[in-house]
Amino acid sequence: MLIRSPRRWEIAENQVTSESHWLDRRRLVKAIAAGPVLAAGWPAVAPAASDVVELAREQASGDPTSDLYPAALNPGFADAGREVTVEEENLTYNNFYEFGSFKEIWQRAADLPRRPWSITFDGLVEEPRTIDIDTLIRSFSLEERIYRHRCVEAWSMVVPWTGFTLRDLVDFARPLGSARYVVMQTFHDPDVAPGQAGWYPWPYTEGVTIEEAANDLAFMVTGAYGQPMANQFGVPLRLHLPWKYGFKSIKSIVRVSFTEERPLTFWEEVAGNEYGFWANVNPEVPHRRWSQATERVLGTGERVPTEIYNGYGAEVASLYAGVEGEALFM
Ligand SMILES: Nc1nc2c(c(=O)[nH]1)N[C@H]1C(S)=C(S)[C@@H](COP(=O)(O)O)O[C@H]1N2
Ligand SMILES: [Mo]
């Protein structure tokens, strides 16, 4: 996510974070051997791709749900019309502000404990409850879907996700008939996530309408590239809404609430004049500071035209009949 300008207090935060907090000794030694370490604590030479893939494999093989992978590919989502983004690329270019406001947060995200983890369902539900993540994941049958992802920063990727539909999660939660929105929150623990020591309105909060949540495209992600997902993708459970800008796709969810009122979402609260609730992809509505007409496809060196609803209009455009008066696209 791009904000107005680098903020003085964020830079200070990066500088006070010691390298050893997020680079283990072995990696730090390697990084130093590879080149000078910048004052801000960032190795000048990018870590070898094998390191990041190796770490992702370690995280996946230690995951208590690893026996569920690989899940069957849903033939309806087998072709995203573009090549799947190279895994190393995707593992080293992430937005996860809890770990810092830059893309290479993968080492820091390795500090996030994958277990124990539970999810609380509350608000307008028949009965509020807190469920262990493994019990939750095992109550659904996992499938693989290849989706395009378009970040509001005008880059995109193609990812083979594994998971289950948000619709199934909503059914599991048993909301009351009065519920109009599904609101999700990320964990909040500044001891593990140094970015949360900063000024942002933590925890990260996102939401969709009950109708959007029921759309078949709305997907709860547990895995990527045929395995339990690496920490930086938002372990152990994240959302992916492929027709919306990437910031709607909240990571590392701990709470799912049902409300009558529209929630104030994280980026809306940070910069409501730039990031709205609906955030549907539209090449014709520029961001206040840049065009959304094209996107840089990660790992390809190419720039391609952006499509309305990120190319998923046939599935989702009908959701927005009747709300045209609102700022649907930012
Ligand atoms: N909790 C949380 N979820 C988040 C973000 C974040 O900073 N924190 N960034 C969002 C943005 S802007 C994007 S583009 C995607 C990036 O997902 P990726 O790192 O798996 O590519 O995650 C989204 N979900
Ligand atoms: Mo994004």
Side-chain angles (χ1 to χ4, degrees):
M1 183 66 72
L2 302 179
I3 50 168
R4 200 165 291 283
S5 60
R7 315 231 178 193
R8 214 169 14 86
W9 50 94
E10 284 193 319
I11 292 164
E13 185 265 313
N14 285 346
Q15 284 167 342
V16 298
T17 306
S18 74
E19 291 112 20
S20 59
H21 178 84
W22 51 277
L23 281 181
D24 69 35
R25 193 168 283 274
R26 185 173 57 96
R27 287 175 209 287
L28 182 62
V29 167
K30 271 192 192 169
I32 290 168
V37 172
L38 301 178
W42 192 248
V45 174
S50 58
D51 264 9
V52 72
V53 174
E54 189 189 309
L55 181 61
R57 294 291 175 277
E58 275 169 33
Q59 290 169 346
S61 62
D63 191 282
T65 61
S66 60
D67 59 297
L68 303 176
Y69 295 81
L73 176 62
N74 180 330
F77 301 100
D79 182 6
R82 288 181 203 162
E83 292 292 303
V84 164
T85 303
V86 173
E87 189 181 1
E88 289 92 307
E89 199 71 44
N90 207 345
L91 286 166
T92 50
Y93 193 88
N94 302 100
N95 273 334
F96 204 166
Y97 268 56
E98 284 79 352
F99 294 98
S101 53
F102 47 91
K103 299 291 183 273
E104 288 169 300
I105 51 75
W106 61 275
Q107 286 106 332
R108 287 184 174 196
D111 290 347
L112 176 63
R114 297 170 69 102
R115 299 292 189 282
W117 195 282
S118 57
I119 312 258
T120 295
F121 296 91
D122 64 6
L124 302 172
V125 288
E126 283 174 23
E127 191 192 345
R129 39 185 183 151
T130 296
I131 314 266
D132 176 69
I133 187 68
D134 296 308
T135 310
L136 185 77
I137 292 174
R138 287 178 191 280
S139 20
F140 304 102
S141 76
L142 302 186
E143 61 176 62
E144 186 171 53
R145 295 184 176 197
I146 303 177
Y147 274 177
R148 296 184 298 278
H149 172 107
R150 171 61 157 80
C151 177
V152 75
E153 297 162 349
W155 55 266
S156 67
M157 61 183 183
V158 180
V159 198
W161 296 123
T162 300
F164 51 90
T165 61
L166 172 54
R167 182 181 50 220
D168 283 349
L169 187 77
V170 169
D171 289 346
F172 180 93
R174 288 188 270 116
L176 301 176
S178 51
R180 295 187 53 213
Y181 296 91
V182 187
V183 184
M184 300 188 191
Q185 280 183 335
T186 298
F187 71 89
H188 189 194
D189 185 353
D191 289 340
V192 218
Q196 289 184 331
W199 65 275
Y200 286 106
W202 310 109
Y204 199 99
T205 301
E206 260 306 339
V208 292
T209 64
I210 282 279
E211 293 76 23
E212 290 177 317
N215 189 277
D216 185 51
L217 285 177
F219 204 52
M220 300 307 303
V221 175
T222 58
Y225 295 91
Q227 303 151 77
M229 69 181 139
N231 286 21
Q232 58 269 43
F233 291 145
V235 80
L237 186 67
R238 68 150 327 151
L239 177 64
H240 190 229
L241 304 167
W243 72 99
K244 291 182 181 282
Y245 288 117
F247 65 87
K248 296 292 294 183
S249 294
I250 182 172
K251 296 180 170 184
S252 299
I253 296 162
V254 294
R255 185 172 171 201
V256 180
S257 309
F258 293 82
T259 65
E260 225 173 309
E261 299 222 328
R262 185 186 294 182
L264 179 61
T265 57
F266 182 84
W267 287 110
E268 237 186 320
E269 195 172 348
V270 171
N273 56 347
E274 301 194 332
Y275 308 108
F277 174 79
W278 298 102
N280 295 314
V281 174
N282 186 342
E284 286 173 11
V285 178
H287 185 276
R288 288 177 78 231
R289 291 174 286 134
W290 61 84
S291 163
Q292 295 290 22
T294 61
E295 64 203 55
R296 183 170 58 86
V297 184
L298 272 198
T300 67
E302 280 173 26
R303 190 163 268 285
V304 302
T306 288
E307 290 179 70
I308 181 105
Y309 296 111
N310 199 23
Y312 294 98
E315 290 90 339
V316 300
S318 64
L319 286 169
Y320 307 102
V323 282
E324 290 87 354
E326 295 199 39
L328 288 175
F329 299 106
M330 202 49 79

